[in-house]
Each structure stands twice: as structure tokens, then as C-alpha cells.
Amino acid sequence: MYIKSIKMQGFKSFADKTELNFDKDISAIVGPNGSGKSNVVDAVRWVLGEQSVKSLRGSDAMSDVIFSGSKSRNPLNVASVTLTFDNSDQYLNVPYSEVSIKRRVYRTGENEYFLNGKKCRLKDITDLLLDSGIGK
């Protein structure tokens, strides 16, 4: 099992829809200071259920992870991250060769979780990842 892709939209510095694809081999994310490398790590932690805003380098509420605007762009009202795993080795105990976990948060503070496109609870995601070595 490995992370196949990360899709982010409206999450921190990723205002536009951004997709990072990974191979089975070693992948690295490099770039200058301020390019969003740490935000990719935060996105992974967040989609897996991180509840501490401070751990995500936010200050007040979970809405701090939503793109807050710039000189040329308006702030967004929703942030979304989808993490897709290649599960062809059935490492996770589900009958799917690909498993996608999605989290969405609105400015109101409401969170939504999805497992393979179906709405679910955070507990469902936590239970799936239990004993897998993957977690927030």
C-alpha cells in the first residue's frame, strides 16, 4: 500500500485545485521557502482526522485551514483534501484496490468526511486505519 495521490482545493495556500501523484518508488517534494511544502504534510494529517488547529499551524478555529485570500484572490468558503491509497495488496481490510479518504470543511466550521466517495463519520475512517500504522 502506498499514497497514490493527494488532491487539494482551498486548503491553506492551495486555492486552486492541485493534484500531486506519487509512484511506488521514492517521491520528494522540494521547493523554495514559502512554496507550500509544509502545507502538503498538514493536508495529509488533516484529511486523516487531525482535530488540533495548533498542530496544523492554525490559530483559532478549523476554518483557519481554508484559503484566506490574497491581493489578487478572494477568500474561499470551503477547503477539501482527498488522499488516495493504492490498496492492491489489500493492506487495508476492504475489498477495494483503491481507497480514497476525503475531508471537507466550511467557514461555518462544519466538517464532512467521505470514504470512497460516500459520506461517512470520522470514526469510520479511524476504524479503517486502526492497526495499519497510518494515523493522524
Side-chain angles (χ1 to χ4, degrees):
M1 182 180 77
Y2 68 96
I3 296 175
K4 194 171 182 178
S5 69
I6 301 172
K7 296 177 190 170
M8 301 168 279
Q9 185 169 10
F11 184 82
K12 290 193 169 194
S13 59
F14 298 100
D16 295 322
K17 189 174 185 179
T18 305
E19 183 172 359
L20 303 173
N21 294 303
F22 300 101
D23 294 329
K24 280 187 177 181
D25 299 325
I26 296 173
S27 295
I29 299 172
V30 297
N33 291 343
S35 62
K37 300 179 300 288
S38 298
N39 292 345
V40 174
V41 175
D42 288 346
V44 172
R45 291 184 68 183
W46 183 71
V47 75
L48 293 176
E50 180 62 62
Q51 298 297 305
S52 168
V53 178
K54 298 220 185 286
S55 294
L56 298 169
R57 298 174 301 126
S59 58
D60 232 5
M62 197 52 76
S63 60
D64 287 351
V65 302
I66 301 173
F67 178 74
S68 58
S70 66
K71 290 180 183 177
S72 60
R73 306 244 354 218
N74 291 330
L76 299 176
N77 292 319
V78 64
S80 173
V81 175
T82 304
L83 188 62
T84 304
F85 294 97
D86 180 295
N87 191 42
S88 55
D89 59 0
Q90 298 298 300
Y91 187 78
L92 295 175
N93 193 21
V94 291
Y96 305 110
S97 61
E98 232 181 55
V99 175
S100 70
I101 299 170
K102 180 178 181 178
R103 183 174 180 182
R104 190 183 296 153
V105 67
Y106 299 92
R107 284 249 179 244
T108 60
E110 179 188 357
N111 279 280
E112 294 178 325
Y113 298 90
F114 299 86
L115 190 54
N116 283 356
K118 295 180 181 170
K119 199 167 183 177
C120 66
R121 304 169 300 168
L122 174 58
K123 183 172 179 15
D124 299 325
I125 293 169
T126 305
D127 289 349
L128 171 70
L129 300 177
L130 203 62
D131 295 332
S132 68
I134 302 169
K136 60 181 176 177

